[in-house]
Amino acid sequence: MITIPKGTKDVLPSESYKWHYVENMAREVARAFAVKEIRTPTFEHTELFLRGVGDTTDIVNKEMYTFLDKGERSITLKPEGTAGVARAFIQNGLQNGAMPLKMYYITPVFRYERPQAGRLREHHQFGVEFYGGVGADLDAEVILLAYTLLTKLGLKVELNINSMGCSKCRAEYNKALKAFLSSKVDAMCPTCKQRYEKNPLRILDCKEDACKQICLDAPKITDYLCQDCSEHFENLKTYLNISNLKFNVNPKIVRGLDYYTRTVFEFVTTSLGSQGTVCGGGRYDGLISQIGGDSVPGVGFGMGLERVLMLMEAENVLIPNEDNVDVFIASSGANANFKAFELCNALRQKGVKAETDHMQRSFKAQFKYADKINAKYVIALGDNELESGIVNVKKMADFTQVECKVDEIVNFKF
Ligand code: ATP
Ligand code: MG
């Protein structure tokens, strides 16, 4: 038997309604925030991610699915959503249009990770990218959009925010952090030993106990913000406060990607064990110029949809199944079978979710099947009903039934 590759998942027909529910809700909330969808390719030139995501990140260092195509070009499967959108923005000259430009995406994401619960090699993200505005009002909107969606999905999450400053304040902070860490390098995990030289900030994000311990008393980036960055952060807090959105300031949040400036944030839950980050994002004012465009500021987030669904399950959120049929027309006898087929088709043309038997089953077996597929109503159509021209329409929730003329079934309010 050929089996599924490690770290990937099938979404089976009995489960896909849950994905539709989450995706539809994401689209609905995006529309309420005046955000339009952008779709970019599943693969891009590797160089885009090297420059856009940053070569000191875990993603670029060890997680990318990179290969040479038949034309010897280095290609990489999307390891996150932002870089592709930024590339499309530049290539299509979108900076010449009306600003801000608010976009969202729903996309598969590929990362070569050690698979475990909530950590896959192919997962899916809903994300947004708002380009053009420098004010903290846009940061707050991005956060509110994620919060609105998570809440509409019935989830309880905590919001952590931080500011990573700009290149100016970060240089100062990096110096202070390195000075603090210099005597502790020997006790760090091998990855952090390297980070110490290349990107010491990322050590704050390390999940190894030894490194967490080391960072307990590390200087806080929020103490090193320049005047402008500090004002921006205070404004963000004001916008969140007037929106009644509670948050914690957590100076240890630095996020995994190199492109962030100023605001970074995470929505976390304790219900998913160590894979508790459901959504992460922030501001990246340097990204567009970093990959060759004009200097255009941006802010956005990525939300892991598998984790959202796991959390909904953990919190027993009931997801309505829109796939269930409205009516099952059971039939017996050649003429009734033809009639059931005809009625079924007529109902479907009107948008009613209708189904009939395709397995030559007995009436009894058809009723059992109708029950199994959660049909809302069941109609039995045999020679008697054809003769009298009247059927019983049975509501499966309470087994009540009403009479209906066969000719009127297409007009019945299921
Ligand atoms: P983590 O710290 O869990 O590795 P990350 O910092 O790599 O997360 P991002 O790159 O910001 O995460 O991705 C955004 C969101 O995508 C995460 O908050 C998470 O919900 C989800 N996510 C990231 N990696 C995976 C994965 N391998 N499998 C499933 N979901 C993931
Ligand atoms: Mg990661």
Side-chain angles (χ1 to χ4, degrees), residues 350-413:
K350 295 193 118 187
V352 177
K353 290 173 280 183
E355 179 61 310
T356 185
D357 180 58
H358 296 291
M359 302 302 289
Q360 298 78 42
R361 277 176 283 225
S362 69
F363 254 143
K364 199 175 153 206
Q366 288 183 55
F367 294 148
K368 228 166 144 182
Y369 175 73
D371 195 40
K372 207 167 172 178
I373 63 170
N374 286 316
K376 218 158 93 187
Y377 290 89
V378 174
I379 292 172
L381 196 63
D383 289 336
N384 290 345
E385 285 78 11
L386 280 188
E387 211 166 284
S388 66
I390 291 178
V391 292
N392 282 318
V393 181
K394 185 151 123 197
K395 191 173 186 182
M396 297 303 274
D398 55 12
F399 297 116
T400 54
Q401 44 187 30
V402 289
E403 284 191 348
C404 178
K405 285 189 183 148
V406 173
D407 294 343
E408 286 298 316
I409 290 176
V410 285
N411 298 320
F412 192 91
K413 295 275 165 286

